[in-house]
């Protein structure tokens, strides 16, 4: 999925806090939004869907982070837990998208996301055919609803910005390989 989908997913993860612990909701949402975008920084350094995507190892961090947040609850420990949880969800979610090829709609890549302990790539499931596909944009819109209606302030503003990015990205997605070939692996 495109980064906006993962960022919106972070807000969905935080949404229960608007009812359960409203004073923590914005912190949790912002941490989960950051964790949602973080793995995709490997578009710029290393190998995309490998260098910062850890579908197994992030969970190994999530569990102690949960214990730490439970024993020593503070803004930092709670934010850290939701950051890593969101990054873990992102890394697994990309498995259900297309491959990490330059033009994923051609469906020639069998590289969805790298599983480091196995030392191999998972083949793409293509429930979302490629990042920025119409179904990916629909997913972003649906997952953005809590950010728009349950939150206010920076979380709502960021959600609007992320939606704008998603619409523009989906509109130009098929021209990205020509516009920005450096994004290719
Ligand atoms: Zn990703």
């Amino acid at each position: 999925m495109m980064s906006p989908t993962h960022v919106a997913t972070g807000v969905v993860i935080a949404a229960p806090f608007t009812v359960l612990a409203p004073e923590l909701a914005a912190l949790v949402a912002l941490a989960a939004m950051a964790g949602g975008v973080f793995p995709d920084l490997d578009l710029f350094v290393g190998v995309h869907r490998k260098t910062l995507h850890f579908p197994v190892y992030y969970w190994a961090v999530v569990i102690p982070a949960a214990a730490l947040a439970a024993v020593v609850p503070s803004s930092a420990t709670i934010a850290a837990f939701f950051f890593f949880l969101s990054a873990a969800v992102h890394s697994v979610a990309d498995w259900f998208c297309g491959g990490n090829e330059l033009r994923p709609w051609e469906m020639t890549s069998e590289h969805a996301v790298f599983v480091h302990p196995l030392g191999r790539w998972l083949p793409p499931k293509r429930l979302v055919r490629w990042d920025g596909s119409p179904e990916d944009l629909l997913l972003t819109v649906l997952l953005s609803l809590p950010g728009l209606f349950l939150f206010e302030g920076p979380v709502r503003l960021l959600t609007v910005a992320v939606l704008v990015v998603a619409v523009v990205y989906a509109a130009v997605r098929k021209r990205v390989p020509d516009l920005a070939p450096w994004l290719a692996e």
Side-chain angles (χ1 to χ4, degrees), residues 1-166:
M1 292 85 171
M2 55 179 161
S3 301
T5 310
H6 296 299
V7 173
T9 303
V11 183
V12 171
I13 291 171
F17 280 82
T18 59
V19 177
L20 299 175
E23 69 283 4
L24 290 175
L27 169 77
V28 169
L30 293 171
M33 290 170 105
V37 77
F38 178 74
D40 280 343
L41 295 181
D42 66 14
L43 277 164
F44 307 102
V45 56
V47 178
H48 182 41
R49 303 245 193 111
K50 180 179 180 184
T51 304
L52 292 175
H53 286 63
F54 301 103
V56 175
Y57 289 154
Y58 277 134
W59 295 103
V61 180
V62 165
I63 295 162
L68 187 63
V71 176
V72 193
S74 71
S75 297
T77 56
I78 291 169
F81 167 68
F82 282 98
F83 177 90
F84 286 112
L85 176 65
S86 188
V89 170
H90 174 147
S91 300
V92 173
D94 278 348
W95 182 21
F96 297 89
C97 194
N100 73 338
E101 62 198 305
L102 189 52
R103 295 173 176 81
W105 47 91
E106 293 178 348
M107 300 186 187
T108 58
S109 168
E110 287 305 305
H111 293 176
V113 67
F114 195 79
V115 185
H116 297 78
L118 298 178
R120 67 176 179 88
W121 292 87
L122 289 176
K125 290 198 171 293
R126 298 196 171 95
L127 290 181
V128 169
R129 291 167 299 163
W130 65 83
D131 58 294
S133 64
E135 61 269 29
D136 196 9
L137 181 60
L138 177 66
L139 208 51
T140 306
V141 171
L142 293 176
L143 295 171
S144 293
L145 295 177
L148 293 177
F149 297 109
L150 297 180
F151 288 87
E152 49 195 28
V155 176
R156 182 186 283 168
L157 278 175
L158 275 170
T159 300
V160 171
V162 162
L163 269 175
V164 171
V165 170

